[in-house]
Amino acid sequence: MQIETNKSLRQFNTFGLDHQAAFFTEVADEKELMEALQAARKAEVPAFILGGGSNILLTRDLPYFVIKINIKGINIVREDSRHVWVKVGAGEIWHEFVGHAIRHGWGGVENLSLIPGTVGASPMQNIGAYGVEIKDVFDHLEAVVREDGNLVTFSGEDCGFGYRDSIFKQKSKDKYVITRVVFRLDKFPVLNTTYGDVEFTMHELGFPEPSIEAVSEAIIHIRSKKLPDPTVLGNAGSFFKNPVISPEKFHQLKAIYPQLPGFDTPEGIKVPAAWLIEQSGWKGKRWGTIGVHAQQPLVLVNYGGGKGEDLLLLSKTIAKDVFEKFGVKLQTEVNLV
Ligand SMILES: Cc1cc2nc3c(=O)[nH]c(=O)nc-3n(C[C@H](O)[C@H](O)[C@H](O)COP(=O)(O)OP(=O)(O)OC[C@H]3O[C@@H](n4cnc5c(N)ncnc54)[C@H](O)[C@@H]3O)c2cc1C
C-alpha cells in the first residue's frame, strides 16, 4: 500500500476542484482497507472514504487520510429460477456494473444507467433515477467497522433507505466502509418505462420492442442531452434534494404561484428544487469561475479554476434566497467535505 502526502484531489472529484489531501492511498481489498484505517489511526488523522468523487464538494484542503476504494469483483453468489444474486466490489464503476447486468440479461438496474460513481457509494444516498432506486434491487451489503475493523452485514431494512438517504448519511455517518454490495436481479425483467420520455425515446432510437438494453440506451440518450458531462464541465449532478413539504404549505404556495409543480409522495408533496431555484432568479447565473448551469438550475458548475469554498457560498446564497421567497428549506444532496 502506497501512502502519498499533500496529494491533489483534482482528478478524484467530478467538480474538478484542486484541493489537497494530507494523506492519500488506494485499497484493492479488505485487508488493505484495514491497513489503511490503521495507518490513519496511527497518524492520528481522521479517515475519509472516497469513491468516484461524484457526490462530494471539497470545501478546503482536507486534513484527512483519504482512502480511495478500488475493491473489484462481480460474482454470482446465489441463483434460482427467477433471480440472480450478484455480489459487487465497492470500487466497481456503477455504470460498468449496469452494463454487465444488461449483457447477462439481468433486469433491475437498467433505469440507473449512466449514474456516475462507484457501487460502494450507491447505498449511501440510495441512488435513484427514472422511477427506480437501488433499494428496489438491494439484497444486503458488507462493510468494515471503521473503529475496530470488524466485518458486518446490513440488510435493506438495516440501511434505512429513503429519498436520497440512508443511515450511512445519518446516524451511522462515518462509522462504516462499504466493501461489497449484493443485488437481487431479475432473470425475467419487468420494464419500468413510464417515467419521463423513456418510452418515446426508445421508439425514436428505433428499438423494435422494449428490452433492458432499449431502456438503458434511451436513458443514456436522455441523460447525455440533459446533464453536463463532468469530464467537460465540473459538476456533481443535482446539488440539492427536491424538498418535500406538507400539503398545507403546498396549497399556500400554490395560491401565490399557480405554476408550482408538486408530486404526491408518502411523506408529503415533493417540489422540484430546480423550479424554486429558477424562480429565485439563479438559473444560468455565473460568479466568475463557478455558477448555476444554464439548462439545469439544480446543477452547480465549476467552469475551471473554481474554489470549493466559493461553491459552498454560492449554494448557501441560493438556499437563502429560496427560503426567503418560498419559506422552503433546501437540503444539499451533495456531501460537503
Ligand atoms: C452528472 C451527474 C449525474 C448524477 N446523477 C445522479 C442520479 O441520477 N441519481 C443519483 O442518485 N445520483 C446522481 N449523481 C450523484 C452520484 O453519481 C451518486 O451519488 C454516486 O453514488 C456517488 O458515487 P461516488 O463513488 O462518486 O461517491 P463519492 O462522491 O466518492 O462519495 C459520496 C459519499 O459516499 C461516501 N462513500 C463513498 N464510497 C463509500 C464506501 N465504499 N463506503 C462508505 N462510504 C463511502 C463518501 O465518503 C461520501 O460521503 C450524479 C452525479 C453527477 C456528477
Side-chain angles (χ1 to χ4, degrees):
M1 187 181 58
Q2 195 197 345
I3 300 172
E4 295 173 76
T5 52
N6 302 323
K7 166 95 171 170
S8 167
L9 296 174
R10 196 156 75 84
Q11 305 298 326
F12 297 94
N13 72 101
T14 58
F15 265 122
L17 295 166
D18 196 8
H19 290 294
Q20 291 189 347
F23 298 89
F24 180 90
T25 192
E26 305 197 28
V27 297
D29 56 31
E30 285 80 349
K31 187 170 163 283
E32 284 190 3
L33 170 62
M34 292 191 204
E35 283 167 15
L37 289 169
Q38 215 159 20
R41 270 195 296 274
K42 207 167 151 205
E44 296 183 354
V45 175
F48 177 77
I49 307 304
L50 182 66
S54 65
N55 201 23
I56 53 171
L57 172 65
L58 303 175
T59 60
R60 55 181 177 146
D61 285 343
L62 301 187
Y64 299 145
F65 203 113
V66 173
I67 302 174
K68 167 130 180 71
I69 306 297
N70 273 342
I71 301 172
K72 301 285 188 187
I74 305 183
N75 300 296
I76 295 180
V77 287
R78 198 175 139 199
E79 205 168 347
D80 66 17
S81 58
R82 300 198 59 83
H83 294 111
V84 58
W85 282 258
V86 190
K87 187 186 279 197
V88 190
E92 290 286 349
I93 302 299
W94 174 264
H95 182 63
E96 288 177 10
F97 161 57
V98 172
H100 182 97
I102 290 171
R103 281 192 300 281
H104 287 78
W106 305 328
V109 285
E110 58 281 359
N111 289 42
L112 304 176
S113 295
L114 215 60
I115 296 183
T118 56
V119 167
S122 64
M124 293 291 299
Q125 68 157 6
N126 179 27
I127 57 166
Y130 294 89
V132 173
E133 294 179 320
I134 68 137
K135 74 169 172 43
D136 305 326
V137 289
F138 180 90
D139 189 74
H140 69 273
L141 64 77
E142 296 174 5
V144 166
V145 183
R146 281 169 61 154
E147 205 175 26
D148 56 19
N150 280 333
L151 271 174
V152 286
T153 60
F154 286 84
S155 68
E157 202 177 321
D158 298 334
C159 292
F161 290 128
Y163 162 58
R164 299 295 178 276
D165 209 8
S166 75
I167 58 158
F168 305 109
K169 280 184 97 173
Q170 303 295 339
K171 69 174 179 159
S172 297
K173 189 170 158 51
D174 296 335
K175 286 197 179 148
Y176 302 97
V177 184
I178 297 166
T179 48
R180 305 195 186 256
V181 186
V182 177
F183 299 98
R184 193 191 73 159
L185 301 176
D186 265 307
K187 289 183 176 174
F188 301 96
V190 180
L191 303 180
N192 180 341
T193 59
T194 50
Y195 200 97
D197 285 343
V198 177
E199 206 143 327
F200 173 80
T201 309
M202 281 193 299
H203 287 300
E204 201 186 43
L205 293 179
F207 283 99
E209 53 189 82
S211 63
I212 51 176
E213 294 85 351
V215 171
S216 174
E217 288 300 327
I219 288 173
I220 291 171
H221 186 78
I222 300 169
R223 288 182 68 104
S224 309
K225 278 202 297 191
K226 270 173 95 172
L227 287 168
D229 176 353
T231 60
V232 179
L233 183 60
N235 77 90
S238 302
F239 197 89
F240 299 101
K241 291 186 191 186
N242 291 317
V244 177
I245 60 178
S246 69
E248 297 75 47
K249 175 76 186 170
F250 180 74
H251 292 305
Q252 261 173 28
L253 286 174
K254 191 89 178 160
I256 311 170
Y257 306 100
Q259 311 294 326
L260 174 71
F263 306 93
D264 272 329
T265 73
E267 294 78 32
I269 315 261
K270 193 187 272 184
V271 175
W275 192 89
L276 301 173
I277 295 169
E278 182 171 356
Q279 296 300 310
S280 303
W282 279 101
K283 188 175 176 180
K285 277 252 173 93
R286 190 163 171 163
W287 276 9
T289 51
I290 59 169
V292 180
H293 193 258
Q295 276 86 48
Q296 287 293 329
L298 207 45
V299 177
L300 304 191
V301 295
N302 174 17
Y303 291 102
K307 291 259 171 282
E309 55 264 43
D310 294 337
L311 277 159
L312 182 63
L313 181 63
L314 175 63
S315 72
K316 285 185 173 168
T317 311
I318 293 170
K320 182 172 147 283
D321 282 2
V322 166
F323 185 71
E324 279 174 7
K325 191 170 168 77
F326 298 103
V328 174
K329 274 196 181 146
L330 289 184
Q331 280 183 334
T332 57
E333 179 178 319
V334 168
N335 298 278
L336 309 176
V337 190

